[in-house]
Amino acid sequence: MNIMITGATGQLGRLIIDHLLQQIPQEQIAAGVRHPEKAVELMRLGAEIRYVDYDVPEGLADAFSGVSRLLLISSSHPDDGIRLAQHKRVIDAAAKAGVSHLLYTGLAFPKQGAGATGNVHTLTEQAILESGLEYTFLRNALYIDFVNVLGLQEAVRSGELVTQPGDRRFNSVTREDLALAAAAALAGSGHSNRIYELAAPQTWSFSDLAAALTALTGKPVAHREDAGVKHWIYSFLDKINTRSTSNDLEHLMGRPVTTLKDSLVPFI
Ligand code: NAP
């Protein structure tokens, strides 16, 4: 079995490779990268480096030759139309190269959010289904990183987390947890033609966030709503499903998800 991860120099891809290296021989792991100069550390760890640029279809099938399981990490391009075209190039090349099993990192609960049917992840999953390849859809919940724009350090300094009014709850996850789950799906068996909602089994509110900041720092932080708070993050969050829960992530990881408090450590 030979496994390849695209976007391997990205934050999620790199973590997945770290986990895979602990589970399977390094000769069976290939890293698909578009900037080989960023892959020096991956090479040192023993992963085979192959050139994979979603924008350069020539050579993609060659890059995938001999690969049995391919993880397509969704493109980070800001334009969803371009992302979909990039993903389709990878899917076509995977089928041409004889890859048997294609795994894809999409977004959790895509069918319950606004613009569901037309979103890039749903359309990519559709294209994978149409390819006839074995598939696994790893639908990742919201990365915890979004809290970074909520002014956490200021909240700890002032003792007040101030947010826009609204009844919001969030299902957030760490890349570390997602990477562990993805590595389990890549290296393990029984994941063919399965869909996993890689989300936490519970959600949290801004009041919970303030309480977690208090517990983490030992300084009291209260939550207050203020209609004067303006940030694009609120309209973004309102467009996606951040309330649904799932046990899939914990099942794949074989351990509980990282707590809200622990996942805030990098942002304080
Ligand atoms: P990241 O650190 O930005 O990594 C993205 C990876 O995609 C990088 O390795 C990048 O290559 C690669 N890439 C971009 N365009 C490419 C192309 N044309 N051809 C080949 N590779 C290309 O993102 P991440 O944190 O690992 O997250 C992985 C993906 O999750 C993102 O790309 C995005 O689609 C999605 N995402 C999810 C959430 C969420 O909340 N669930 C949030 C943000 C993003 P370089 O290293 O060469 O730049």
Side-chain angles (χ1 to χ4, degrees):
M1 177 179 64
N2 291 313
I3 291 174
M4 180 186 253
I5 294 96
T6 69
T9 48
Q11 299 166 85
L12 182 63
R14 173 54 208 267
L15 289 169
I16 294 171
I17 289 189
D18 285 345
H19 284 294
L20 282 176
L21 283 165
Q22 293 168 30
Q23 297 177 43
I24 55 175
Q26 61 191 44
E27 306 76 49
Q28 294 178 14
I29 303 171
V33 309
R34 66 171 168 169
H35 293 128
E37 69 278 9
K38 289 169 75 176
V40 176
E41 178 64 10
L42 281 172
M43 206 182 320
R44 196 188 62 73
L45 290 170
E48 183 190 349
I49 309 300
R50 295 193 188 181
Y51 175 67
V52 173
D53 186 333
Y54 308 153
D55 290 320
V56 184
E58 310 79 23
L60 275 183
D62 284 346
F64 300 153
S65 84
V67 172
S68 46
R69 286 186 189 170
L70 175 68
L71 173 62
L72 166 57
I73 293 198
S74 56
S75 167
S76 49
H77 199 286
D79 182 315
D80 278 353
I82 291 175
R83 286 170 99 193
L84 181 61
Q86 292 174 328
H87 296 167
K88 284 184 170 173
R89 282 182 209 121
V90 173
I91 297 163
D92 289 347
K96 192 173 161 196
V99 169
S100 51
H101 186 168
L102 183 57
L103 299 90
Y104 172 70
T105 62
L107 190 66
F109 313 113
K111 294 214 157 74
Q112 296 164 42
T117 50
N119 86 49
V120 59
H121 299 297
T122 303
L123 294 172
T124 299
E125 289 182 359
Q126 187 61 38
I128 293 171
L129 291 173
E130 286 165 8
S131 76
L133 297 173
E134 284 174 52
Y135 65 88
T136 306
F137 298 149
L138 302 170
R139 294 177 170 175
N140 294 343
L142 194 61
Y143 295 166
I144 183 70
D145 307 39
F146 86 91
V147 298
N148 217 10
V149 300
L150 299 174
L152 300 192
Q153 292 179 8
E154 171 56 22
V156 172
R157 260 194 303 275
S158 66
E160 231 183 19
L161 174 71
V162 188
T163 65
Q164 210 177 74
D167 175 26
R168 297 184 172 91
R169 293 200 69 83
F170 304 101
N171 192 319
S172 68
V173 288
T174 65
R175 280 192 194 76
E176 183 57 46
D177 285 359
L178 292 173
L180 182 57
L186 276 163
S189 56
H191 305 298
S192 192
N193 298 342
R194 302 287 298 271
I195 298 175
Y196 296 116
E197 306 286 354
L198 298 182
Q202 68 280 317
T203 58
W204 52 268
S205 65
F206 284 135
S207 298
D208 297 327
L209 180 60
L213 287 172
T214 302
L216 188 62
T217 63
K219 297 180 186 164
V221 179
H223 175 229
R224 179 169 65 83
E225 294 185 340
D226 184 335
V229 173
K230 307 275 181 229
H231 198 285
W232 60 264
I233 195 77
Y234 293 97
S235 55
F236 168 75
L237 292 169
D238 289 345
K239 285 190 197 116
I240 58 173
N241 178 341
T242 61
R243 284 176 174 265
S244 295
T245 59
S246 169
N247 294 315
D248 291 352
L249 180 55
E250 291 197 340
H251 281 151
L252 266 183
M253 287 196 297
R255 66 157 170 78
V257 295
T258 304
T259 64
L260 175 60
K261 179 183 156 204
D262 288 346
S263 59
L264 294 178
V265 170
F267 308 104
I268 297 304

